[in-house]
Every structure is written in C-alpha cells, then in structure tokens.
Amino acid sequence: MARKAVCCGLNSLEVLLMVLFLLMTGVTVGLITVFAVNMSSQTSNDHQCHQWLHDCVVFVLHKMGYANPKQTAAGIHTRLFSRAFIVDDGSRRVVFVSADIGMVSQRLRLEVLKELQLKYGDLYRQDNVVLSGTHTHSGLAGYFQYTLFMITSKGYIKPSTQAIVKGIVRSIDVAHKTMKPGKIFINKGEIVGSNVNRSPHSYLNNPEQERNRYTSNTDEQIVILKFTDLNGNGMGMISWFAVHAVSMNYTNRMVSSDNLGYASYLFEQEKNIGSLPGEGPYVAAFCTSNSGDVSPNTRGPYCMNTGKKCDYLNSSCPTGGTKMCVAFGPGNDMFESTRIIGQNIYKKAKELYGSAGQEVRGSVHTAHQWVNMTDVTIHLNSTHSVKTCKPALGHSFAAGTTDGGGDLNFTQGAVEGDPFWDGIRDTLLGAPSKEIQECHDPKPILFSTGEMNWPLPWHPDVVDVQIITIGSVAVVAVPGEVTTMSGRRIREAVKQAFTNTEVVITGLCNIYTHYITTHEEYQVQRYEAASTIYGPHTLSAYIQHFRGLAKAIAQVNELPKGPEPPFFKDSQLFTLLLPAPVDNQPANSTFGQVLEQVHPRYKLGEVASVTFVAGNPRNSGDMVSHYKTFVTVERFQNNTGTWVVVHTDASWETRFHWIKGSGGQSNATVEWHIPLSAQSGTYRIRHFGHYKRFNIVTPVITAYEGVSDVFRVTKTL
C-alpha cells in the first residue's frame, strides 16, 4: 500500500496530537470471516431463508473500539461473520445485514452499494439495504474515510475494507440465490442482570416523570424474529438486545466477536448439529440496540489499585485517574464474562424462539434519506426552533468510559476546558470558533472536528437515516450509539406513525457518528455526551427525521434523497501501515516445526497447547480466497482410519496466539480448551500459515503447515 507524503514530517507537537488521538479513540485490526443467511418472502405471509459462510481473513495491526494503542491484533479467539437476511413481499424487498465489526463506516457502506449496483443494478439500493455492526471492540479497523478514524486505525487499510466488503456482498449474493417461501414470527421478553448503565448520573438527569415510566435505567427488552419455511422448519433468527460488546476488555489482543457473537455461536451450533462453526444451513444474528450507555460489566466500576468503588460523578480514582477505574464482571476474567453474558442472551432468545407464535404479516416498505446533520433546524413549537452544530468532541471524550478509560488526565463530566490541552490544540489547529463553542454549550470543545478538513474532513457532515418495515415490525437504523433513553424516545416517535407496530432500534448502522444522548444527558457531559458530535439537539434532529421517514412509509410518500455523501478516491486517503516484514525462522528449524509439544494425555476440562515456528499472519491472504483456517483440532476415527476436524479457529474452544519476536521471527501457540462434551479418543492439533521471502525484489509467499504429536483425551487421567 502506498503511503502519502502528507503523513510524513510531523513536528513534535503534531506527534503529541497524534498520540493523543491514539490514546483516546481506539484502534483495531485483525481478521474477519463472513457468514451469510438469506431470509426472503414472496407474499405478505410467506418468507424465505438460507445462509452461507464466507471466510475473509485479514491480519493487520490495530483493533477498533478501545483507547489503547497497545491493543494490536495477535491472534484469534473467535471468527467474525456477516449474516444477511433478505425479505421480499412480491413487489418490494429489504436486506438486513448484521456484521461482527465495531461499526459500519460510510466508506464501507458506499463500497458495498457500489458492488451491489454492479451485480444487481437497482435491485439493492441505499434505501432497502441496512448494514449494522454488532459493535465488537475486538474486530479490525482501517475501513474509514474521515481523518479522525483514519488516524486512529493507522489510516485507510484497503485489505481490511476489501475483506469486509467482499464478505458482506457475498453473504447477500448467496441469500439472493437461495430465497424460498417461508414465514416470520415475532416474540419479545426481558433479560435481567446482563446489562448495567455505565453513566447512571447522566440518566438521572432525564425528567423524573419520564424515568418513572420504566423499571430500569437500561432497556432489558429482547426482541426476536423467527424465520421458518412453509413446513415450520427453522431457518434463522434475528435478535435485538441493548448491550455493549465489550466483555472482551481492552487488554485483549485476539480477534473476537465478543458476547453477541458468542450468542450467535451457541444458537447456530445447536441448530447446525455436526457442522463446524460458520457451516450449516441455520443462521442466528444477535444485534445491539440502544446500548450507548449500557455495559455488560455487571459488577460495576472499581479502582484496580485499591479495590474501592470509583468516584460516582466522574468515574475516576484518587490515584491513577480514569485509567484505574474499570468495570468488571460478571465472570472472573474476560473470557468467562463473555461466555456468561452471551449465554444469558442465547438462553432467553432460545426460549422466545421456541414459543414464538405471533406471525408477522403485511408488506415490506423502506424509507431513506441522506441528511446534512450539521445544519438541521428542529422546530420545538410554533415559535421556537433550534439547530444542530458542526461536529466537535468534548474534553470528556478523552476520558473514555469505565469499559476502557483514557491514559491522560481527563475525566468524565468535564464542563470546563483544560488550559494545557487547549493550549496545545490552539497552537496546532487554532481555537474553536465562537460560533461552534456557543452551539455546543455546555460542552468544552477539545477538538472542533467540523472545522478541521486537512487532509480530509475529520468527521462526516452527510449522514444516513433509514427505516425498513417488515409487516408489523419497523427497524430503525440508527447511525451511531444511542443511549437508553434516547432509544426509547426514538421508538415512541416512530411508533406514533404506525398502527400496532413493534419498533426496534438497531445501532451502528450505515455510518458511524459516535453517540446520541438526550438533551438532558448532554448537560452532564460524560463520555457519551462529549461524543455527541452534532451538539445538544442531536437527538431531536434524529427524531424529527425518523418521524418523517415513518410518516412517509405510513402515507406511502416519496422523500427527497438529500445531499449525497462524498466518496474520496483511494489516492486521497492515507495509510500509516507498513508492509509486513520478511519472515525468518530460528537456525536449524523450519516453518511449522513444533517448538513446544503437547502432553501425551489430557482429561476433559484441561488445555492442550502446542507452539509452532510461524510466519506473520498478515501474509496469509490465501486464507481469504480459499476459506482456510489457521488451526484444526482433529480426532482419529478408528472405524475409517481417518482424521476428522472437530474444531477450527472459528471454534470457541480454540485460541490462536501469534507471538512476534525479533529479527522477523515469530511463533504461533494453539490452545484447545477441551470441553466436557469432548469424546474420549486420539487427537492432534494442526497449524496452517504462510511466510514471506524476497526473490531479489519480488515478494514470494509460501504456504506451510505444522502438526503436533498425537495425544489422548480421556475422562480421567
């Protein structure tokens, strides 16, 4: 990948600013695997379903979500998948995609739509395709086109973008080709004890009368759609529940689909008996909802250095500040917490799926607009109106959250600036204009991103707003992270336009615009409010637009498309990611050779581990085109005399750790956490990869594989 000269030659103050961004916003990288399902309907009562797996493996450097520059990708916990659902009523159709990524970017959406246009003409368009991210913080980065997000992910990384685009489009392809008649059913219930509000002080600033209408400061509702064929055989399901996918915390360095991905894993493994993860005909998508202020870390925040509770108002500790204030639970480590939260969501979804009897009837409708969110006038009443603002981030943005705090001396709840950091900002970028400061009041502006356009705009102006309806279900595609009360207000506003309609919020859709708080929450200026980039009336603007979309559907009115977003050329984008180096192996060794061997015998519940001489996984582009895995666990079948794969690197039971050494050398350690359900027998572990060498000036990529000794698994040693 070419590097633009504009990224080079930074002076020390510019470097400091760069580091500040890296500390604050979070970075990602890794690998993505894509798996798709197709649900479609030919009549108002009959629908169609199918699914398909597509592997897209990309190892780069950083992960998207946490403010931790050390959180580089170095292994695989679970694979990431894209699940696509198509519903057709005979005259119109919609596509809903849930992808195991942090969020959908505008660049990603535009590239997906571009590919769909080439394949299908006007069949799949911006108005009838919804792309939603599960918000895992352990996925890849590099698929953004605005400067802020490019800085925090080492620029625009084309292989990352291509991997996600290819996977999403292929999932839609297979869904398109395998549509058949079926039915859709809806059910809903509550999950208690699997989410907590991480900014309760902000929530309490909402009107008491409004708060009294609800039993919790988080949405505990879960909604599921069940897809069957005409004979009632299950084909797939979609679930919405409000929780952040941050059970895998900021110390994690493995690619992971987190708690929502584990719920999908459990559901699909149960339905696809005998199939490896990502294979089989059944697909289950678990999507996030109004989870902007919602954490899965149910034990709450404590100071890691003292064990005492953090300061309630600003979530910091007397020593160590916000970095020491970390929320935990419900498990004793992040793997156990991911398992518990994912399992809780899966169990309730399974219960609701089994009892779902209310059929979704009616036709399919869509409404979409591009909106300039920097210049929206909201009419409060006949005499008063307010406006949105150009984008800006407040000081509390740099503090992070209790799910991952910032390294610097910022705290949540800051309603005043800091002379030191403001001075650095003013020196490098100039002070925010009086207009933008007044518009964002009471937010003390750390970065006036709406006034920053070098080398490209730092934040988007044009944003997607979209609603699709499937019979009596309306899916509101929110382009960001909407807080609990904000989501409730959006649902109410949309519901007023329909009759007997269940309204669900699906977040992280189509473009990422950070957070959306209520006007009252905005006054407190915790992290979520400081990250509400279009000012205190952001939610009101979205409600106004979503209400307009809902009315257009209800009244069958056409809407103007609005101003189209920019699509910057690849040559305008920059990357800070260097090519992967040449791979070397220790003297007298070969790639794939075992360095640390397995034990000859294990019992159920133990961990089998083996370490290989490895190449850099970034050189394993072959994994993309040939749907391969880095890892297999294989059992010997005595009756056939053959080895059978029982786990891959997509399995919950395996962990693939890549350890980078010096001089271009690296190792790969494979762990198999032997489940209690494993059959006694003879096993082996295999590792696959690629290494890079140069033939004069031409890079040569060579495949290798390694295999452990044979070992026995028994119930007891």
Side-chain angles (χ1 to χ4, degrees), residues 488-565:
R488 288 167 174 168
R489 292 183 188 179
I490 291 173
R491 281 204 303 261
E492 285 188 355
V494 171
K495 201 162 189 174
Q496 291 173 2
F498 298 117
T499 303
N500 298 323
T501 296
E502 183 68 36
V503 179
V504 295
I505 299 289
T506 187
L508 293 307
C509 289
N510 300 334
I511 179 175
Y512 186 58
T513 62
H514 296 270
Y515 283 75
I516 303 163
T517 60
T518 68
H519 184 270
E520 294 85 355
E521 292 163 354
Y522 189 90
Q523 308 310 306
V524 180
Q525 278 299 301
R526 284 179 62 85
Y527 174 83
E528 294 83 10
S531 305
T532 298
I533 62 174
Y534 299 114
H537 304 292
T538 298
L539 174 61
S540 296
Y542 277 121
I543 287 176
Q544 182 170 287
H545 284 297
F546 284 128
R547 185 183 285 119
L549 296 179
K551 288 181 178 179
I553 291 175
Q555 299 171 8
V556 196
N557 292 332
E558 289 288 330
L559 288 170
K561 288 185 176 182
E564 293 198 17

Side-chain angles (χ1 to χ4, degrees), residues 27-40:
V27 279
T28 190
V29 158
L31 121 138
I32 183 165
T33 313
V34 186
F35 173 70
V37 93
N38 149 31
M39 314 268 179
S40 162

Side-chain angles (χ1 to χ4, degrees), residues 583-605:
D583 291 301
N584 293 309
Q585 76 270 31
N588 302 316
S589 69
T590 58
F591 288 99
Q593 181 175 320
V594 174
L595 296 174
E596 295 183 21
Q597 195 56 265
V598 293
H599 298 317
R601 187 179 296 269
Y602 296 91
K603 67 178 181 180
L604 302 182

Side-chain angles (χ1 to χ4, degrees), residues 361-404:
R361 297 175 178 270
S363 55
V364 168
H365 294 279
T366 68
H368 171 277
Q369 277 187 312
W370 282 307
V371 176
N372 182 354
M373 276 297 294
T374 70
D375 188 26
V376 178
T377 299
I378 304 101
H379 300 283
L380 301 179
N381 51 48
S382 59
T383 58
H384 290 81
S385 63
V386 291
K387 296 191 70 172
T388 54
C389 314
K390 291 182 179 180
L393 292 164
H395 275 248
S396 294
F397 164 76
T401 72
T402 55
D403 293 325

Side-chain angles (χ1 to χ4, degrees), residues 261-291:
Y262 185 53
S264 290
Y265 176 86
L266 290 173
F267 215 111
E268 290 168 354
Q269 286 297 101
E270 178 180 312
K271 295 295 184 180
N272 297 317
I273 297 174
S275 297
L276 292 170
E279 299 178 5
Y282 192 94
V283 171
F286 283 78
C287 312
T288 190
S289 187
N290 51 325
S291 57

